[in-house]
Amino acid sequence: MNIAAIQRPRTLADIIPQSSDSVRSTLRTAALVFGFAALTAVFAQIQFSLTFTPVPVTGQTFAVLLAGAALGWQRGVASQAVYWIVGIAMPIPWYSDDQTGSSIREGWNVATGTTMGYFVGFIVAAGIVGYLAELGQDREIATSIPAMLAGTAVIYVCGVVWLAYDLNIPIATGEANAIGFGLTPFLIGDTIKLIAAGLLTPLAWGGVNRFME
């Protein structure tokens, strides 16, 4: 193990030794990116639908926050972009609320449909959380939870704005609005997920610090 390579890891992923060989380094990055894309897909399968909204309850946001914190902003963004693209391009069960195991067209319809704003939000959120993680905000609970809150807020903004556009409904006014469909039903669950992510990363860093002592 190259101890020098892990003395000052910027993110949790950086504790994995970096090879000086360009091919191995690229493969390492690709494995991390695709690994967290797959993790997001796994958590997407934890889902159930609500009768009054087209947006399902899923575990995706937890994986998105972890991807940003663990990978940093560039690899975090890449992981969620890959998550989105794979669901479009491959006829496999991937997203939470589709049946993309049968055709590419169905994956495209989900990826560009009512919940497209959330997919965009996943990419942006992973970037923001990743940037904050590179600044060390994921190492203490007092700063980690606000970082996860910022990421979750971005997902909501992107998701709700697109939902309003796609369904042709107001964002906040009227009996049927995008906030009522795409934000308020998920506040409790997403609060639990962001707190869990905000607690997990400092715990992981604690373990890393003990290992490096």
Side-chain angles (χ1 to χ4, degrees), residues 42-88:
V42 169
F43 274 91
Q45 308 314 310
I46 305 171
Q47 58 119 347
F48 61 91
S49 299
L50 301 175
T51 58
F52 58 89
T53 174
V55 183
V57 177
T58 77
Q60 290 172 103
T61 54
F62 178 71
V64 171
L65 299 175
L66 289 184
L71 299 178
W73 82 266
Q74 290 179 308
R75 291 171 300 191
V77 165
S79 73
Q80 296 311 303
V82 167
Y83 171 64
W84 192 14
I85 292 168
V86 168
I88 296 173

Side-chain angles (χ1 to χ4, degrees), residues 41-205:
V42 169
F43 274 91
Q45 308 314 310
I46 305 171
Q47 58 119 347
F48 61 91
S49 299
L50 301 175
T51 58
F52 58 89
T53 174
V55 183
V57 177
T58 77
Q60 290 172 103
T61 54
F62 178 71
V64 171
L65 299 175
L66 289 184
L71 299 178
W73 82 266
Q74 290 179 308
R75 291 171 300 191
V77 165
S79 73
Q80 296 311 303
V82 167
Y83 171 64
W84 192 14
I85 292 168
V86 168
I88 296 173
M90 300 293 289
I92 57 176
W94 190 253
Y95 299 138
S96 63
D97 60 346
D98 69 334
Q99 302 296 325
T100 51
S102 58
S103 74
I104 292 176
R105 181 178 178 181
E106 291 177 2
W108 171 263
N109 289 339
V110 173
T112 61
T114 304
T115 57
M116 187 181 82
Y118 295 96
F119 291 113
V120 175
F122 292 165
I123 296 171
V124 179
I128 290 174
V129 173
Y131 175 75
L132 294 173
E134 290 179 2
L135 296 178
Q137 301 300 297
D138 64 329
R139 305 191 184 201
E140 301 290 340
I141 293 175
T143 53
S144 180
I145 290 178
M148 303 304 178
L149 177 60
T152 302
V154 167
I155 294 171
Y156 277 144
V157 169
C158 294
V160 166
V161 169
W162 177 258
L163 197 63
Y165 169 79
D166 189 68
L167 297 180
N168 193 26
I169 57 175
I171 290 179
T173 59
E175 184 175 347
N177 60 71
I179 288 178
F181 286 161
L183 191 157
T184 52
F186 312 101
L187 284 174
I188 295 176
D190 284 337
T191 298
I192 293 172
K193 284 180 282 186
L194 76 86
I195 291 174
L199 293 174
L200 184 59
T201 51
L203 286 174
W205 274 114

